[in-house]
Amino acid sequence: MRNLDDLKSVLARIDGRGYKAYKDIQGDYAFEGGVLSVDYVQGDPFASPSKVRVRLHAGTAGLPSDLHGSRVRRTAVEDFLARRVRLALRKQGSRDRGIGKSGLMLIDAGGQEVLERSAVRVSTEWVEARVEVGLPAAGRRVLGRQAAEMLCGDLPELTRGALGWTEEAEAEGRPFVECVENQEAIRSGLRERGLVAFVADGSMLPRESGVSDRPLSPEKGLAFESPQELRVSFDLPNPDSRYTDERGAVTGMGIPGGVTLIVGGGYHGKSTLLRAIERGVYPHVPGDGREYVVTRPDAVKVRAEDRRRIERVDLSTLIGNLPNGQSTVAFSTEEASGSTSQAAGIIESLEAGSRLLLVDEDTAATNLMVRDARMQRLVNRESEPITPLLDRIRELYEEHGVSSLLVMGGCGDYFDVADQVILMRGYRPEEATSRAREVAEELPTRRGFGEGEPLKLPAGRVPDPRSINPLKGKGKVKIEAEGVDGIRFGNETIDLRAVEQVADASQLRAVGRALYLAAREFMGEERTLPEILDRLEKLIDAETVDRLGGFGGGKHPGNLSRPRRFEIAAALNRLRSLRIVGK
Ligand code: ADP
Ligand code: MG
């Protein structure tokens, strides 16, 4: 194998030549303790940056093997190392070295959530960082000396420093890994305890601001405290001095399965609690304040999203025949209303396999949630296609095991169907189930109950792979994330602003590639969406998100993170070209 001196001489040779000459540096170069691989060279200084991997031999990296002995630990330590590399590159790297993106060095590390990501990989033989670099240029000419400084000096040195397991890395990294492992231990324990979510005492749920995902400072925020009646405790595998007692247990509010209401006055912290629970499907970094807010992995937030497209979704259990006589058994529209969009969101989530629905009144369609006695009398059954969720929610739980967690400050009709009522008062939860029952008895709603036919869970739809096409222009694959708001997919943009559990743009890059891969490899032959999602999950389980990199991303997959099946389904459902093969 060539070494960094060889790279240096190539760079000296092409110095001053046209930018395309950089193609000559593609390849692998050994250095002491590792290998630098230039996988992809950008076409010009303004194009998306070049892709480079820095691999350290395990002996040089010195990562203790117990820190990557399980999938959870490996994911956590990889995520941690990506953050360390980012810090090193930001501190000392990324110097301006000419025009365009010259001198840029980037790694795709995460935000508050800890995700399985492709930016750093750890194996028993090596530790590897996948970095994007802007190769230096002056007026579209190669700056060979600057490039040598960068590729043969700064980059290997900085990554070696950041990937090497120093005392400092141990002091920060071990608690990081242990904290993530604790969170996953709680998640695994939820089901057998009959819980859908857990919120630890001492958690800090509110965020710094609407545009910052960092926690509100302890001076400004009130730490979470469980009501006595709902307090449970989990024994954790690792101590965490901020949350665990001497016995290694953490206490907090356990939310049981069934129908749970979060009620309370405006501005008392209801949505903040629900948002933390939404995000609790992912582990969080130590210090986030929501480390021990842990939710069942299949929780899906559903909301109204008018104007979205719907493709052959069976809405009939929530919405019957429409005024124009249109059937809703395989309902399609290019522009949904509030109620039909939310109904579609519910049915699609169940189809993808969710058994825990999260709804906030702030983003729900009122007419899908409730119809009170007066409205029932004025607008008779025949002229109202909607069976409100209120009339379906017990059945969903009792017949189909679908729990729900609803923020409902404005409508007490739900008292009749709730298993638990949590009352938020000044950011403090109170157990209010029996008080709500008393109120329900004193003030009957006089609603007629049991509207609608018996509810059936959706049988999976069959997507047509030919309707999923990420090619743009001259047959080039275009799959790009627009932050966490959408995916540019071929000629269209999939709007995901209403899909609130996307944690990271790198998840959306992976979602786009997963759709492409699924269309090429898994769809067709009557295969249903849930079966396709199963196959995708199995593939990622076996080969990690790296496997998605080859699809539209070249051979260097450094900027992907693992999406949940629900977000993959959500993107597919919002793809405007999607066709479902009808029966
Ligand atoms: P609601 O949904 O009940 O109307 P929100 O959850 O939107 O209320 O919260 C209202 C405001 O209170 C937000 O600005 C939020 O950041 C803040 N907040 C929520 N929980 C806390 C807390 N525990 N401590 C301090 N501020 C909080
Ligand atoms: Mg609210």
Side-chain angles (χ1 to χ4, degrees), residues 40-56:
Y40 165 79
V41 175
Q42 66 205 95
D44 72 78
F46 298 94
S48 50
S50 305
K51 294 169 187 248
V52 174
R53 286 174 295 133
V54 184
R55 180 175 277 200
L56 288 192

Side-chain angles (χ1 to χ4, degrees), residues 330-347:
F331 181 77
S332 303
T333 178
E334 292 300 320
E335 190 177 14
S337 67
S339 56
T340 49
S341 64
Q342 192 179 341
I346 291 170
I347 302 298

Side-chain angles (χ1 to χ4, degrees), residues 270-271 360 362:
K270 303 182 297 295
S271 297
D360 190 329
D362 293 349

Side-chain angles (χ1 to χ4, degrees), residues 188-511:
S188 317
L190 286 175
R191 193 176 289 265
E192 66 188 64
R193 308 274 287 267
L195 302 175
V196 298
F198 173 77
V199 184
D201 291 324
S203 296
M204 183 58 70
L205 308 185
R207 300 293 95 189
E208 201 170 58
S209 77
V211 292
S212 162
D213 206 25
R214 302 180 51 75
L216 199 59
S217 69
E219 298 81 58
K220 292 191 190 149
L222 187 69
F224 187 85
E225 200 188 315
S226 171
Q228 194 48 45
E229 299 89 335
L230 291 173
R231 186 167 280 140
V232 296
S233 108
F234 279 91
D235 296 327
L236 297 182
N238 314 292
D240 183 331
S241 58
R242 273 173 299 193
Y243 289 95
T244 55
D245 61 18
E246 328 69 62
R247 294 174 18 263
V250 59
T251 63
M253 178 171 82
I255 300 180
V259 178
T260 302
L261 300 187
I262 301 172
V263 303
Y267 222 70
H268 281 251
K270 303 182 297 295
S271 297
T272 303
L273 172 60
L274 191 76
R275 260 200 298 277
I277 290 170
E278 263 162 63
R279 282 305 164 109
V281 298
Y282 304 114
H284 286 86
V285 297
D288 173 79
R290 300 167 299 182
E291 298 93 304
Y292 298 109
V293 180
V294 180
T295 307
R296 264 173 68 148
D298 62 346
V300 176
K301 170 79 175 286
V302 287
R303 54 170 288 175
E305 184 189 352
D306 53 333
R307 315 192 69 145
R308 63 160 283 192
R309 181 166 180 268
I310 298 172
E311 168 67 3
R312 293 184 74 89
V313 177
D314 182 355
L315 303 182
S316 60
T317 54
L318 290 165
I319 301 181
N321 290 350
L322 296 175
N324 54 10
Q326 192 185 356
S327 153
T328 52
V329 172
F331 181 77
S332 303
T333 178
E334 292 300 320
E335 190 177 14
S337 67
S339 56
T340 49
S341 64
Q342 192 179 341
I346 291 170
I347 302 298
E348 289 164 347
S349 303
L350 298 176
E351 178 190 43
S354 170
R355 295 297 177 263
L356 174 59
L357 301 176
L358 311 177
V359 181
D360 190 329
E361 60 183 349
D362 293 349
T363 50
T366 307
N367 57 343
L368 190 75
M369 299 305 288
V370 289
R371 182 160 58 254
D372 66 12
R374 285 179 170 167
M375 207 52 88
Q376 280 181 327
R377 180 146 330 160
L378 182 70
V379 183
N380 61 27
R381 181 75 196 125
E382 289 68 46
S383 46
E384 173 54 270
I386 299 178
T387 303
L389 194 60
L390 178 58
D391 291 317
R392 288 304 197 186
I393 206 147
R394 283 234 63 80
E395 200 183 351
L396 267 174
Y397 180 57
E398 283 163 17
E399 305 293 323
H400 304 289
V402 180
S403 293
S404 45
L405 186 49
L406 313 174
V407 168
M408 261 295 160
C411 178
D413 285 8
Y414 272 87
F415 291 173
D416 293 313
V417 294
D419 295 297
Q420 290 86 224
V421 180
I422 296 166
L423 171 69
M424 294 300 287
R425 197 198 298 269
Y427 313 133
R428 278 228 161 81
E430 297 171 10
E431 214 287 335
T433 312
S434 45
R435 273 185 281 159
R437 294 235 165 93
E438 283 164 28
V439 171
E441 259 170 49
E442 271 169 41
L443 299 174
T445 65
R446 305 196 192 166
R447 282 185 86 251
F449 268 89
E451 294 189 354
E453 304 290 307
L455 184 153
K456 47 191 188 315
L457 285 192
R461 293 165 301 156
V462 177
D464 179 353
R466 288 163 306 181
S467 66
I468 298 159
N469 179 11
L471 302 182
K472 190 182 169 121
K474 301 179 214 98
K476 266 189 102 168
V477 172
K478 174 147 191 121
I479 299 173
E480 274 169 25
E482 289 192 335
V484 293
D485 289 343
I487 305 172
R488 305 254 289 267
F489 194 81
N491 289 319
E492 82 171 85
T493 298
I494 308 175
D495 186 348
L496 296 172
R497 282 174 300 178
V499 179
E500 297 180 273
Q501 289 167 292
V502 175
D504 202 311
S506 51
Q507 275 185 320
L508 292 189
R509 283 188 281 269
V511 167

